[in-house]
Amino acid sequence: MSALTNIFSVVDDRMNPIVVKELRQAVAGKFVASVLMLFLAVQLATLGLFLMLDDSAGAAGNFEAGRTVFMVLSAILLGTCLLFVPAYAAIRLAAERSGTQVDLLYVTTIRPRSIIWGKFASAMMVTVLIYSACLPFLSLTYLLRGIDLPTIFTLLGIDFLIVSASNMFAIFLACIPANRVLKSMLALVGLGTLITVFSMTIGMTSSLIFYSGGIGASDFWQGMAVFTVLTIALTGLMYVISVAMVSPPSSNRALIVRVYLTAAWLVIGGYMFIWSRIITDHAPVIAWVILTVCIGCVAILASVSERDAWGARLRGMIPRNFLLRRLAFVFYSGAAGGVAWIVILVAATGTLAWWWGTTFSSYSNHHDLNECLDLCIPMALYFFAYAMTAMMLRRRLMRRLITPNNTYALTLILMAIGTILPLTIGWIVSGKTFYRMPSEYYLTMPFVMFVNDHVRQTAWWFGSVWAGGILVMSLPWFFARARQFQPLPSTPAPVEPSEPANPEPDSPDA
Amino acid sequence: MKVEVNNLKRHFGTTRAVDDITFSFESGQIFGFVGPNGAGKTTTMRILATLDEPTAGDATINGHSVVERPEHARRMIGYMPDNLPVHRDISVHEYLDFFARAYGIGSPKRQQVVESVEEFTNLMGIREKMLNALSKGMKQRVSLARALVHDPPLLIMDEPAAGLDPRARVELRELLKVLAQQGKAILISSHILTELAEICDGAVIIEKGRILRAGTMHNISHGGDAPTHRTMIIRNYGSNEELCKALLEMPHVEAARLVGPSVEADVAGDEETCCDLLAELLRRNFRIAEFHQRKADLEELFMTITSGEVQ
């Protein structure tokens, strides 16, 4: 008994405090209990009504009943898990973020990653609770025939993966620092996205059990593998961005995001290259290039909005070793390092994809890979040029008007001006519509390379000159930042107090 | 344990919320932090609590820099913000248990710690009550209990008495006195200056991010130097008018006036001069029932030395 108590005690101490708190609140509150009761009642009523009203249910030769009931029950399950659980997690977190509660957590020894992990884990536990209440009903559909147990459990697994990503998505939205109006808009965006995900998942489930070859089809598991990797990667990305968002501004917020994205870029890249080799097709590499360039375009907006100088807290973490310090410069919070990291990542992607295309030029869609590079690289150059121009304008002309963390907004404004103004001038001067006016008028549009082949070549040239020019002009700033990236002068650590408050506190991060 | 704030600066764009402030206080002291709204009190407290980073300067708690080693400093800080906890569906006991876990206090010590804090802050009777059902005074106590749960040697309290009724204020004051006696260093900001004057050993008066006065209450009220003038309150067991006349005849007494049942006399001199004055009054057969120096009126002082300008 004592040993058992000790084990429970150790487990209790190891549990994330946020999970304990959230689950206590869930048990004490009415929301989760009400949703669970309602969910069970709807499941029971659906199954009962179907069995009573459908005379053919269970009849020999009827293979539709099991599938139909499964579809309805899984829709109820998915609806509950996709709408109620993420909403519950997001509303709680957003409410706490609006007050000083997160501040209070920061003065404890708990870390931001534990806060987000705790929120996610508690949302997942509520999901598991709802799943466990639903499983007996779903298993019953097997007895009604038309669907086998492997299919039931595979589909439930897919749904669980989607619900996990949705929970993380809701937490991610709740972490975005926003005022009341923006929060309402984010809530609407979140609701719209979850409804879309719900519809798509139901559509996929339906086509899988009614129309396609089911889980036994040859391409099902291949597709599932890609889907699983991408969903997990996306969930992880939302997790690290959420951690960065709830971290104090003075902390090294970018580190976790850049390390994660670099690792994901390597893992997914490796996976895609191997897959491409196996199927002798460039499609996986094309997907990897598009994904990397899109992330790079978004990341550069975030990077140019980062701090320009490093505070003592971050400088305390800078390695003293020269090589490690150069590496840390790219990964630590800071605008210059962030820009360098994106340039390296996108340049490496382009180079690797080009090399792959040259080496395996016999693949049937070799042309598609070249076209993908012709579209993606100019787009990356345009985003780089716009972001760096915005940063230079802010530094040199608008220092007092725009704070560094709003550089992304200036970039977007410049992009809007670059899209609308030349087009308007072109329309006034030439009197022609968009498709008929000379390409010079819309060469500053960030997505001009998608217009036609001829413009794409001009965009390559224009983007390269602009990005190259702004890069050269920014080099003095970049090198100055690199020189300033120095650790704090070493100071001896103070002697620990003779009676600390908690001499050896247990880690709450477990 | 010593808390030292050295040349602390915090700038938000062109606004200098905290502008080169330096002060220190020690274990067992209650140190007041006084200033008008927007003076930089909360910013300074947030920096001390490791929630914000200074633009320049540093603060150390027992030698641990809150800037360079925030993780070490956090174990020594109990922070009580001006906002109160708003968690729903959680009881007082669960809330304190949660923070004890967040500070990494393992069982079975956690149970003991939480119970002793509940007992100290007189929360035992309401420990099972939901947090959102508590009155403001009770929430303030919970907030104090939360700040004490890891037994920090430094307490940082931002406007703890704001919105409390007189009884709750007195109770809070008594708790703070006990905590100071236990050896905790307490930094407290408040707008209720009379309250601060009664419990604080020292204070900092801050405006527009700059320190106007700092030191012990005595030093603050006299501009930091040894006082050359003081106001004595004297009550005679008899006619105060005669006392007033007699005082005005004496050297070193610059002014004397009747104030209620007593006489207030402005004396130019030190403590020895006051002793001589009392001896002279007794020699003249005045039956002195009360003779003491008027305490520094922090409120008056505050109004005198601050301009009330906000950045």
Side-chain angles (χ1 to χ4, degrees):
Chain A
M1 187 64 190
S2 168
L4 201 64
T5 312
N6 284 343
I7 291 167
F8 278 130
S9 174
V10 169
V11 172
D12 187 33
D13 287 347
R14 292 276 165 201
M15 277 188 80
N16 185 314
I18 302 282
V19 175
V20 177
K21 178 185 127 309
E22 290 288 323
L23 291 182
R24 278 176 172 168
Q25 285 178 290
V27 171
K30 293 184 181 74
F31 184 82
V32 174
S34 308
V35 167
L36 196 63
M37 286 300 147
L38 185 68
F39 169 73
L40 281 171
V42 172
Q43 294 256 33
L44 203 61
T46 308
L47 195 62
L49 282 172
F50 185 85
L51 290 174
M52 280 192 294
L53 301 178
D54 190 356
D55 296 336
S56 64
N62 179 8
F63 293 106
E64 289 297 316
R67 292 178 197 175
T68 310
V69 176
F70 179 83
M71 266 309 299
V72 176
L73 292 185
S74 67
I76 295 167
L77 171 70
L78 204 61
T80 311
C81 291
L82 271 183
L83 299 178
F84 288 104
V85 182
Y88 177 72
I91 290 167
R92 288 196 87 95
L93 181 56
E96 288 177 12
R97 287 269 291 159
S98 62
T100 53
Q101 310 306 314
V102 178
D103 273 3
L104 291 178
L105 285 176
Y106 289 152
V107 293
T108 68
T109 49
I110 200 163
R111 290 168 190 235
R113 64 167 184 265
S114 294
I115 297 173
I116 298 300
W117 179 250
K119 294 281 178 191
F120 178 64
S122 48
M124 290 314 296
M125 283 186 190
V126 175
T127 306
V128 168
L129 183 72
I130 294 172
Y131 256 72
S132 61
C134 182
L135 273 178
F137 295 96
L138 287 171
S139 305
L140 197 68
T141 58
Y142 169 67
L143 301 176
L144 294 173
R145 295 191 296 180
I147 189 163
D148 55 11
L149 281 176
T151 304
I152 290 174
F153 288 116
T154 305
L155 288 172
L156 285 178
I158 295 170
D159 288 356
F160 192 77
L161 192 66
I162 291 167
V163 171
S164 307
S166 303
N167 283 339
M168 199 63 243
F169 173 66
I171 290 168
F172 164 75
L173 286 184
C175 287
I176 295 173
N179 57 25
R180 210 173 274 263
V181 178
L182 191 57
K183 264 184 189 166
S184 308
M185 286 166 66
L186 285 173
L188 285 175
V189 168
L191 188 68
T193 309
L194 291 177
I195 289 171
T196 310
V197 169
F198 171 77
S199 313
M200 286 169 70
T201 313
I202 289 298
M204 183 204 70
T205 309
S206 165
S207 71
L208 204 69
I209 59 176
F210 284 112
Y211 309 111
S212 70
I215 62 167
S218 58
D219 56 348
F220 173 79
W221 290 105
Q222 211 170 57
M224 268 314 298
V226 177
F227 174 75
T228 306
V229 167
L230 290 180
T231 309
I232 291 172
L234 183 66
T235 308
L237 180 62
M238 288 189 290
Y239 168 75
V240 292
I241 296 175
S242 303
V243 171
M245 282 194 289
V246 299
S247 297
S250 57
S251 65
N252 194 1
R253 284 169 143 182
L255 178 67
I256 186 171
V257 180
R258 288 184 197 160
V259 167
Y260 177 84
L261 280 174
T262 309
W265 175 78
L266 280 171
V267 171
I268 295 173
Y271 180 85
M272 293 301 196
F273 281 115
I274 293 167
W275 189 22
S276 167
R277 190 81 183 96
I278 292 168
I279 61 172
T280 61
D281 191 295
H282 284 307
V285 178
I286 291 171
W288 178 66
V289 170
I290 292 170
L291 197 67
T292 307
V293 170
C294 288
I295 288 174
C297 289
V298 176
I300 202 157
L301 295 179
S303 286
V304 292
S305 306
E306 280 186 47
R307 56 169 71 183
D308 217 12
W310 296 273
R313 197 166 294 179
L314 197 144
R315 285 182 61 201
M317 298 165 68
I318 297 175
R320 296 189 180 279
N321 178 289
F322 178 80
L323 287 175
L324 285 177
R325 195 159 71 243
R326 293 281 81 90
L327 189 66
F329 176 70
V330 176
F331 284 97
Y332 280 23
S333 286
V339 170
W341 171 74
I342 293 161
V343 168
I344 292 168
L345 211 66
V346 173
T349 306
T351 310
L352 280 171
W354 172 80
W355 168 78
W356 189 262
T358 316
T359 310
F360 301 102
S361 55
S362 58
Y363 293 179
S364 60
N365 57 348
H366 172 66
H367 176 71
D368 291 347
L369 181 58
N370 285 340
E371 194 175 352
C372 165
L373 288 174
D374 266 354
L375 288 170
C376 288
I377 300 302
M379 191 173 88
L381 287 171
Y382 267 69
F383 267 76
F384 174 81
Y386 266 112
M388 294 302 282
T389 306
M391 190 156 67
M392 187 171 280
L393 280 176
R394 184 194 59 75
R395 269 199 336 268
R396 296 196 176 172
L397 304 173
M398 303 176 183
R399 191 176 279 274
R400 285 176 181 275
L401 200 67
I402 297 172
T403 54
N405 57 343
N406 284 322
T407 312
Y408 79 94
L410 183 61
T411 310
L412 293 176
I413 290 169
L414 287 182
M415 283 180 174
I417 293 171
T419 305
I420 298 164
L421 193 67
L423 272 184
T424 314
I425 293 170
W427 180 66
I428 293 167
V429 173
S430 68
K432 292 175 181 169
T433 55
F434 174 70
Y435 286 104
R436 293 187 177 185
M437 71 174 67
S439 63
E440 291 78 32
Y441 285 113
Y442 50 87
L443 212 51
T444 51
M445 280 172 66
F447 301 104
V448 68
M449 61 290 305
F450 292 96
V451 174
N452 60 46
D453 287 354
H454 169 67
V455 176
R456 194 183 305 159
Q457 294 310 314
T458 320
W460 247 110
W461 172 83
F462 183 76
S464 303
V465 170
W466 185 10
I470 202 79
L471 177 68
V472 170
M473 287 167 77
S474 302
L475 282 178
W477 163 81
F478 180 82
F479 287 123
R481 294 288 92 78
R483 275 195 303 275
Q484 283 170 8
F485 190 72
Q486 295 292 335
L488 287 172
S490 55
T491 48
V495 179
E496 289 291 327
S498 54
E499 272 187 52
N502 293 302
E504 287 175 3
D506 310 318
S507 168
D509 293 338
Chain B
M1 206 234 10
K2 193 170 187 182
V3 180
E4 291 178 293
V5 175
N6 299 313
N7 306 106
L8 204 68
K9 292 179 185 174
R10 181 68 173 108
H11 301 169
F12 296 102
T14 53
T15 308
R16 296 179 172 206
V18 178
D19 195 8
D20 203 13
I21 67 169
T22 300
F23 64 91
S24 67
F25 57 101
E26 293 178 7
S27 294
Q29 284 190 331
I30 304 179
F31 212 72
F33 208 38
V34 187
N37 290 332
K41 302 189 297 291
T42 299
T43 306
T44 308
M45 288 184 148
R46 282 178 59 81
I47 291 171
L48 270 174
T50 75
L51 292 170
D52 200 357
E53 193 176 19
T55 309
D58 200 354
T60 57
I61 301 164
N62 215 19
H64 291 279
S65 163
V66 297
V67 180
E68 292 173 31
R69 296 187 177 89
E71 300 80 18
H72 291 267
R74 266 173 217 153
R75 298 193 188 285
M76 291 187 265
I77 298 165
Y79 176 59
M80 198 173 151
D82 51 352
N83 295 38
L84 301 171
V86 291
H87 288 289
R88 293 181 66 84
D89 304 326
I90 191 165
S91 71
V92 171
H93 183 74
E94 286 169 344
Y95 180 73
L96 295 176
D97 178 73
F98 162 62
F99 274 95
R101 284 171 188 269
Y103 276 110
I105 304 171
S107 56
K109 192 186 167 194
R110 191 173 60 242
Q111 187 69 15
Q112 295 166 3
V113 163
V114 172
E115 281 181 5
S116 68
V117 166
E118 284 170 348
E119 206 169 308
F120 177 72
T121 48
N122 203 12
L123 291 171
M124 284 303 256
I126 57 157
R127 60 189 293 207
E128 298 307 330
K129 270 198 169 185
M130 288 293 159
L131 214 55
N132 52 344
L134 297 181
S135 67
K136 185 155 190 180
M138 286 296 172
K139 276 186 184 168
Q140 203 67 279
R141 268 198 224 172
V142 174
S143 198
L144 176 63
R146 184 200 51 71
L148 290 172
V149 84
H150 59 299
D151 192 22
L154 167 64
L155 269 179
I156 300 170
M157 310 172 88
D158 197 359
E159 301 283 350
L164 296 188
D165 63 37
R167 174 177 283 276
R169 252 187 261 160
V170 170
E171 285 172 354
L172 181 69
R173 204 165 61 202
E174 293 310 312
L175 283 177
L176 293 184
K177 281 181 184 169
V178 173
L179 288 168
Q181 281 164 9
Q182 287 175 358
K184 293 196 190 300
I186 301 171
L187 180 67
I188 178 171
S189 78
S190 178
H191 282 123
I192 306 165
L193 302 175
T194 45
E195 294 255 333
L196 281 186
E198 279 184 48
I199 57 167
C200 288
D201 302 296
V204 168
I205 299 180
I206 181 173
E207 188 177 41
K208 289 197 280 183
R210 287 188 179 178
I211 289 182
L212 301 178
R213 294 264 175 97
T216 63
M217 297 305 284
H218 193 264
N219 283 351
I220 285 177
S221 58
H222 295 97
D225 303 320
T228 54
H229 286 72
R230 57 195 70 211
T231 302
M232 303 303 298
I233 295 170
I234 310 161
R235 187 161 61 84
N236 184 31
Y237 192 73
S239 166
N240 273 334
E241 284 167 7
E242 274 180 38
L243 174 67
C244 201
K245 278 180 192 169
L247 281 168
L248 285 169
E249 289 166 7
M250 291 181 187
H252 304 296
V253 175
E254 293 179 339
R257 57 200 166 267
L258 286 166
V259 179
S262 311
V263 176
E264 266 189 19
D266 295 336
V267 181
D270 53 13
E271 284 189 340
E272 197 180 351
T273 314
C274 293
C275 292
D276 292 344
L277 180 69
L278 177 61
E280 179 61 22
L281 289 174
L282 293 172
R283 199 184 60 75
R284 293 188 187 190
N285 293 326
F286 282 104
R287 298 170 75 192
I288 303 300
E290 194 179 333
F291 187 92
H292 64 86
Q293 190 181 328
R294 197 176 79 178
K295 270 195 174 180
D297 188 339
L298 195 58
E299 206 157 287
E300 196 177 304
L301 191 71
F302 178 76
M303 294 306 288
T304 311
I305 63 176
T306 61
S307 61
E309 284 177 43
V310 178
Q311 293 186 86

